[in-house]
Amino acid sequence: YYRTRLTPTIETAQIARTVARALGLNEDLTEAISLAHDLGHTPFGHSGERALNELMQDHGGFNHNYHSVRIVESLERRYPEFPGLNLTWEVREGIVKHTTEYDVSDAVNYEPAKHATLEGQLVNAADEIAYTTHDLDDGLRSGLIQTSDLREVRLWVEALEALDIQERRLTDIERHRVIRHLINLEVTEAIKTIARRLSQLRIQSPEDVRCASQALVGFSPEMQRRNRELKDLLFSRLYRHHRVMRMQVKAKRLIHELFDAYLSEPRQLPLEVHDRFAHEKPERVICDYIAGMTDRFAIEEHRKLFDPATLG
């Protein structure tokens, strides 16, 4: 199997809760932010997000972090008295302030000048650990990355040496061992770095965390350099692999065509969506509907709209 949108979320929650327990943080808050931080992701991940942002440039744009908060604050309907999921301010702040190299925060209504809680910051690091190690795992298993590509990545080379594994005969079990070793290394390093920063900056309260001169969750400079080597390898060999790029181009075209088709004739949308047209712009309603799709549903919906032989 290969990871879907759900599996990295579970992996992020597992890693984040481990670190939270080691540091005595609020595990429930950490897990809640972890499980909700990617709710706003579109079909086809960041490719889909870029496509929707292009389509919505004249209508407020699209940011998946902010959309995650819109889902839990207004789009989900689980209570008769009010919209949303009735989450605490700290959970919603942690969602909207989720930031990595591929996630940009849009926390305009959540004190953007301040850092998130330690639990919110922790989810950023846990997400980075999860997607880096598991993208590497998927890349190796799929054959898009070869072990020979990793000879200049120190984290990889040192992991093989520590586990006494020979690169030329890497089995599935050995690959799993290497990935586990890397996760353990990253988690241990994160715990040590966070504890050191808390001590150095004399952090005594949540407000100290939010007003600190720097984010408190992260890695040492040396680990950052080593992670950079691995990330650069993943970017060049996996994220920009020609097979992945073809899918990204197809995804962008598919989302543009879905959006244009719905906008030209909104009655193609389900009846439960129609009520929102009375008090919201059609572009935003359509954007929300597409953003809530899975990859598979988006492909099937496109087929229903454009293939005459497919029943709607």
Side-chain angles (χ1 to χ4, degrees):
Y1 72 94
Y2 297 99
R3 289 169 176 86
T4 65
R5 178 60 56 195
L6 178 60
T7 40
T9 295
I10 296 172
E11 291 158 349
T12 296
Q14 291 170 331
I15 292 170
R17 190 148 193 162
T18 297
V19 179
R21 180 169 300 177
L23 294 169
L25 304 182
N26 187 323
E27 294 180 42
D28 293 333
L29 174 58
T30 302
E31 185 172 51
I33 297 171
S34 297
L35 293 176
H37 81 279
D38 263 353
L39 284 176
H41 257 305
T42 65
F44 313 111
H46 292 285
S47 300
E49 179 176 7
R50 286 191 292 270
L52 280 181
N53 190 42
E54 290 176 5
L55 290 162
M56 295 296 292
Q57 277 301 298
D58 297 329
H59 310 284
F62 180 86
N63 175 288
H64 91 265
N65 281 354
Y66 190 72
H67 189 65
S68 294
V69 175
R70 289 188 67 241
I71 289 172
V72 301
E73 286 187 337
S74 60
L75 296 181
E76 280 293 319
R77 301 284 174 147
R78 292 293 182 267
Y79 301 92
E81 301 90 354
F82 53 83
L85 299 181
N86 198 27
L87 300 178
T88 66
W89 191 90
E90 288 80 6
V91 173
R92 290 177 283 130
E93 183 209 33
I95 297 170
V96 79
K97 288 184 177 178
H98 180 62
T99 306
T100 69
E101 290 186 32
Y102 303 100
D103 300 290
V104 180
S105 175
D106 181 11
V108 62
N109 296 319
Y110 287 86
E111 298 182 316
K114 294 184 177 181
H115 297 294
T117 60
L118 271 177
E119 290 81 0
Q121 294 181 42
L122 179 53
V123 173
N124 295 339
D127 184 39
E128 181 177 330
I129 294 170
Y131 78 69
T132 300
T133 55
H134 293 129
D135 285 353
L136 174 61
D137 191 17
D138 282 347
L140 288 166
R141 184 166 54 241
S142 66
L144 299 183
I145 296 176
Q146 303 298 322
T147 55
S148 58
D149 298 331
L150 294 160
R151 289 172 182 163
E152 301 302 320
V153 177
R154 284 178 292 171
L155 280 174
W156 174 262
V157 173
E158 291 170 5
L160 294 183
E161 293 175 352
L163 298 171
D164 194 24
I165 292 174
Q166 300 299 314
E167 172 200 303
R168 289 176 294 179
R169 58 178 185 84
L170 192 69
T171 65
D172 287 345
I173 293 295
E174 289 171 333
R175 188 185 70 251
H176 289 310
R177 290 182 64 205
V178 174
I179 297 301
R180 284 198 303 271
H181 177 88
L182 291 175
I183 293 173
N184 181 66
L185 183 68
E186 298 274 355
V187 167
T188 302
E189 168 66 21
I191 292 171
K192 290 179 179 179
T193 300
I194 298 166
R196 184 167 58 250
R197 290 178 181 176
L198 290 173
S199 175
Q200 289 173 344
L201 296 176
R202 299 180 181 179
I203 301 299
Q204 299 295 323
S205 68
E207 194 60 21
D208 288 345
V209 172
R210 295 166 51 71
C211 297
S213 58
Q214 65 180 93
L216 299 173
V217 175
F219 302 97
S220 67
E222 177 59 26
M223 181 58 77
Q224 288 180 20
R225 285 189 288 271
R226 297 187 179 205
N227 282 336
R228 181 75 270 155
E229 293 175 356
L230 179 54
K231 290 178 182 178
D232 288 346
L233 183 282
L234 289 171
F235 186 85
S236 62
R237 298 286 182 163
L238 182 62
Y239 306 147
R240 287 297 178 263
H241 192 282
H242 70 274
R243 286 167 57 188
V244 176
M245 293 303 299
R246 287 174 183 175
M247 190 62 230
Q248 290 180 4
V249 172
K250 286 191 287 186
K252 177 180 177 180
R253 182 168 61 246
L254 183 147
I255 286 180
H256 273 259
E257 291 176 353
L258 282 178
F259 189 94
D260 292 340
Y262 292 138
L263 190 61
S264 66
E265 181 46 85
R267 285 176 294 183
Q268 295 182 96
L269 289 162
L271 289 175
E272 60 268 21
V273 179
H274 292 182
D275 294 341
R276 293 182 55 200
F277 286 120
H279 53 273
E280 294 183 72
K281 292 182 179 180
E283 290 85 1
R284 180 58 63 185
V285 175
I286 292 168
C287 176
D288 289 344
Y289 183 66
I290 294 175
M293 296 179 178
T294 62
D295 296 9
R296 187 175 300 174
F297 183 87
I299 293 169
E300 184 60 27
E301 188 74 353
H302 186 273
R303 184 180 296 114
K304 290 177 180 177
L305 289 175
F306 291 96
D307 183 359
T310 302
L311 296 177

